[in-house]
Amino acid sequence: MSYVFTPDPISSVPVQGSSQRYAVNRIYCVGQNYGDHVREMGGDPKETPPVFFSKPADAIVINNSTVSYPQATSNLHYEVELVVALSRGGTQISEASAMDCIYGYAVGIDFTRRDLQIAAKKEGRPWDTAKGFDRSAPISPIKPFYDSKNLGGARIALSLNDEIRQEAELTDMIWSVSEIISELSNFYELKAGDLIFTGTPSGVSAVVPGDHIFAEIAGVGEIEFDMV
Ligand code: MN
């Protein structure tokens, strides 16, 4: 096989405790999956089903101590999220077998150009430019889970300049991880290498260059960087 130009390397994420890397296939995201965040965005959690959208596989940012402030926005928001990493997939996956598809978990940031998202919502346009931009998905190394894949009510939190801004328990999610995998597989054929960002709790706000972000999920991992 030869190509007309040299392709970029495959997007991949380090694996905790291993020299092997996790090759990224697709990045799916869930919107509006914590009741308090749905309310802060002006919605009713019971009437708003989760929204699926995606980011390109090369949007991930790994092991960086700095993340560049993106172009084309003046209102960049952080969203800390549990990221599910799949090791198998399929279509029409049942909730009962969904957890068998999970390789591990990570903590990630779903960076959002909120100004573009607000304009897109107003006009009924797609979210791609608001969500799927370059370096919009910083992610921690993936922690494999071999036995129990249930994280229970683990704490998820984000601090901006050492001040806690987002804090919740994973059990606060409207749709559970198994429900998300099952529902997503009704729209797409899921595959090993797919990452799923599972939505963010309340407390989102803008970041500017010079800000320091620290995010963690208990028992999963942490991520820390400066915006430049
Ligand atoms: Mn999000």
Side-chain angles (χ1 to χ4, degrees):
M1 176 88 72
S2 70
Y3 299 97
V4 296
F5 56 86
T6 304
D8 281 346
I10 290 173
S11 250
S12 66
V13 183
V15 173
Q16 296 180 33
S18 171
S19 59
Q20 292 188 307
R21 296 175 72 87
Y22 180 93
V24 178
N25 183 54
R26 293 181 181 173
I27 303 175
Y28 298 103
C29 305
V30 181
Q32 302 166 358
N33 198 32
Y34 286 79
D36 49 1
H37 176 60
V38 173
R39 281 186 287 273
E40 81 176 346
M41 299 306 289
D44 175 347
K46 289 190 176 129
E47 288 185 0
T48 311
V51 176
F52 292 119
F53 58 94
S54 62
K55 294 175 185 270
D58 66 356
I60 59 167
V61 180
I62 51 167
N63 286 343
N64 277 34
S65 57
T66 61
V67 174
S68 297
Y69 195 90
Q71 60 182 339
T73 186
S74 55
N75 192 14
L76 181 73
H77 278 204
Y78 56 76
E79 298 187 352
V80 64
E81 310 202 354
L82 171 70
V83 183
V84 181
L86 302 187
S87 54
R88 51 194 284 198
T91 60
Q92 299 182 327
I93 298 166
S94 70
E95 283 176 37
S97 58
M99 300 303 265
D100 296 335
C101 297
I102 298 173
Y103 172 71
Y105 297 103
V107 56
I109 309 284
D110 166 20
F111 268 129
T112 302
R113 295 194 281 213
R114 193 72 74 200
D115 40 4
L116 299 191
Q117 189 196 31
I118 289 169
K121 282 181 173 178
K122 194 178 294 178
E123 304 288 334
R125 291 179 181 158
W127 289 9
D128 298 52
T129 59
K131 290 288 198 178
F133 54 94
D134 302 329
R135 294 172 294 282
S136 59
I139 185 172
S140 75
I142 292 168
K143 182 174 181 179
F145 279 70
Y146 300 108
D147 299 321
S148 171
K149 301 178 186 205
N150 189 341
L151 299 174
R155 176 178 178 268
I156 179 171
L158 180 143
S159 297
L160 180 67
N161 302 326
D162 297 322
E163 180 182 316
I164 293 176
R165 294 295 190 91
Q166 294 189 277
E167 188 171 31
E169 295 178 357
L170 295 178
T171 41
D172 295 337
M173 292 198 297
I174 297 170
W175 281 23
S176 68
V177 168
S178 56
E179 288 170 328
I180 289 167
I181 292 170
S182 177
E183 181 67 8
L184 190 58
S185 75
N186 292 329
F187 292 94
Y188 303 98
E189 179 183 356
L190 302 182
K191 292 187 175 180
D194 287 344
L195 298 175
I196 307 171
F197 282 63
T198 58
T200 198
S202 64
V204 301
S205 69
V207 292
V208 294
D211 280 344
H212 183 76
I213 287 182
F214 174 77
E216 62 181 331
I217 298 175
V220 171
E222 55 189 44
I223 184 173
E224 182 166 20
F225 56 86
D226 292 308
M227 295 301 302
V228 294

